Amino acid sequence: MSRQGKKVPSYGLHKPTGQARILVGGKSIYLGKHVSNESYETYARWVAKLAIEPEPVALRLKSPDVLHELTLNELLIRYLRYANGYYRWKVERTRE
């Protein structure tokens, strides 16, 4: 038999940062300091939001149709813009 109903994400600890987090759609949502009133309130809001809409629009991936609309030329231009800012040491360009 399959489970009925929606699964509630569990309240967990992200050890490296000491923050509370939940996983929604494979993405981490950070709630604030672990075991704090703020994190419990944020968790309650997320659980309520997920009860209404299982996967919020902000977390959905783009549909495959949208991804195929990108041309090779547009992809290369986007990469060059990214690389121009990424491969820098302070202000100067690097050899990479």
Side-chain angles (χ1 to χ4, degrees), residues 79-90 92 94 96:
Y79 175 74
L80 289 173
R81 286 181 186 154
Y82 160 78
N84 191 29
Y86 181 81
Y87 293 105
R88 287 185 179 264
W89 173 251
K90 297 183 181 175
E92 301 173 16
T94 63
E96 293 183 22

Side-chain angles (χ1 to χ4, degrees), residues 1-95:
M1 288 179 102
S2 65
R3 278 177 106 177
Q4 291 186 356
K6 300 170 185 161
K7 186 176 179 183
V8 177
S10 61
Y11 178 93
L13 168 66
H14 184 250
K15 288 182 182 180
T17 62
Q19 291 192 52
R21 76 169 178 180
I22 58 173
L23 292 174
V24 178
K27 296 188 183 229
S28 292
I29 307 290
Y30 295 97
L31 309 172
K33 186 177 177 185
H34 191 253
V35 191
S36 68
N37 288 335
E38 174 194 358
S39 66
Y40 288 130
E41 289 170 5
T42 308
Y43 174 72
R45 282 194 300 269
W46 269 100
V47 169
K49 187 185 293 187
L50 293 171
I52 297 167
E53 186 179 0
E55 189 177 358
V57 174
L59 296 175
R60 291 186 192 139
L61 296 174
K62 291 185 177 180
S63 68
D65 296 335
V66 174
L67 295 177
H68 291 293
E69 292 176 7
L70 186 67
T71 65
L72 182 58
N73 191 34
E74 291 169 337
L75 177 65
L76 290 172
I77 289 170
R78 288 182 185 188
Y79 175 74
L80 289 173
R81 286 181 186 154
Y82 160 78
N84 191 29
Y86 181 81
Y87 293 105
R88 287 185 179 264
W89 173 251
K90 297 183 181 175
V91 178
E92 301 173 16
R93 282 185 155 172
T94 63
R95 291 184 182 182

